[in-house]
């Protein structure tokens, strides 16, 4: 399963994606709103998990390739959260790009394509997204995608009480809202 946008290819993960993916997980700026940097082993496990989900069901967090250069720049896609969250059961849209790719509109371009897949191909009624409250860049992207803050902030169960990233906001987008906005993908 591959999908294209004007500038990007959302595709299955390849072995050669591992080194840049590990580097992303070790970059303190990329991981600023996550509880910890990822070890090489944790990144490899995450990549294998995503590969498996895409192979099994045809969707997940796809590797994102910049078409002009052929470079891996991160991942964007859809997933079922592994933690018990207030939106469960749900499908989330999520993203993580290498720092060099920030500020170019790649995350919104790829996320719009993932949302279109979720609503048009999977016939989902709603797609959620969530992040730590301090992560204002992701919240701005959620709003640009047409998502609305549900007002259902929650404590992420994987983070200990008192952790500065524990409190999360939950954004939602219904299929009806998506279709009414008629976004271009």
């Amino acid at each position: 399963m591959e999908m294209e946008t004007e500038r990007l290819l959302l595709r299955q993960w390849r072995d050669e994606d591992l080194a840049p993916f590990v580097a992303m997980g070790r970059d303190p700026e990329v991981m600023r709103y996550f509880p910890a940097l990822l070890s090489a082993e944790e990144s490899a496990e995450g990549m294998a998990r995503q590969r498996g989900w895409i192979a099994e069901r045809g969707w997940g967090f796809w590797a994102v390739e910049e078409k002009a250069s052929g470079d891996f720049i991160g991942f964007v896609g859809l997933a079922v959260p592994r933690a018990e969250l207030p939106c469960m059961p749900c499908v989330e849209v999520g993203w993580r790009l290498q720092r060099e790719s920030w500020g170019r509109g790649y995350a919104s371009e790829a996320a719009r394509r993932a949302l279109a897949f979720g609503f048009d191909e999977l016939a989902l009624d709603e797609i959620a997204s969530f992040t730590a409250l301090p992560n204002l860049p992701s919240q701005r992207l959620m709003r640009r995608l047409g998502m609305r803050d549900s007002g259902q902030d929650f404590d992420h169960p994987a983070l200990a009480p008192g952790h500065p990233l524990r409190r999360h906001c939950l954004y939602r987008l219904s299929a009806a809202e998506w279709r009414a906005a008629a976004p271009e993908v």
Side-chain angles (χ1 to χ4, degrees):
M1 175 73 208
E2 289 188 350
M3 298 184 295
E4 288 189 49
T5 68
E6 181 181 338
R7 302 176 296 165
L8 306 170
L9 178 64
L10 283 69
R11 58 164 173 77
Q12 178 60 287
W13 294 76
R14 299 178 185 145
D15 292 343
E16 58 268 23
D17 298 331
L18 182 58
F21 184 54
V22 168
M24 278 178 45
R26 302 298 305 155
D27 184 325
E29 279 302 303
V30 171
M31 300 303 290
R32 180 178 183 181
Y33 299 109
F34 291 88
L37 299 180
L38 298 175
S39 69
E41 295 78 20
E42 289 168 321
S43 290
E45 289 168 7
M47 185 173 127
R49 189 170 42 252
Q50 292 309 318
R51 263 184 157 165
W53 287 339
I54 293 168
E56 177 183 315
R57 61 185 178 210
W59 56 276
F61 286 141
W62 291 281
V64 177
E65 178 181 311
E66 183 185 46
K67 290 191 319 190
S69 67
D71 291 341
F72 168 88
I73 63 167
F75 68 81
V76 175
L78 305 172
V80 175
R82 295 188 302 158
E84 271 306 309
L85 305 175
C87 56
M88 297 300 280
C90 74
V91 172
E92 69 163 309
V93 61
W95 48 83
R96 189 178 315 154
L97 298 181
Q98 64 184 13
R99 191 173 359 153
E100 297 78 17
S101 297
W102 293 356
R104 298 180 185 181
Y106 289 155
S108 59
E109 184 175 326
R112 280 189 181 90
R113 183 63 187 96
L115 288 167
F117 178 83
F119 290 125
D120 299 339
E121 303 297 320
L122 300 179
L124 297 171
D125 292 327
E126 181 179 80
I127 297 175
S129 194
F130 51 89
T131 191
L133 289 182
N135 189 348
L136 299 179
S138 279
Q139 291 178 56
R140 283 192 295 273
L141 176 53
M142 291 172 197
R143 288 190 296 275
R144 278 196 307 274
L145 294 170
M147 303 187 90
R148 60 183 157 66
D149 188 339
S150 71
Q152 295 176 293
D153 293 355
F154 64 96
D155 291 333
H156 198 290
L159 298 174
H163 192 287
L165 299 176
R166 186 167 197 228
R167 197 76 179 151
H168 275 54
C169 56
L170 174 63
Y171 280 69
R172 297 175 182 269
L173 180 64
S174 72
E177 291 166 328
W178 170 257
R179 287 185 182 88
E184 281 186 39
V185 286

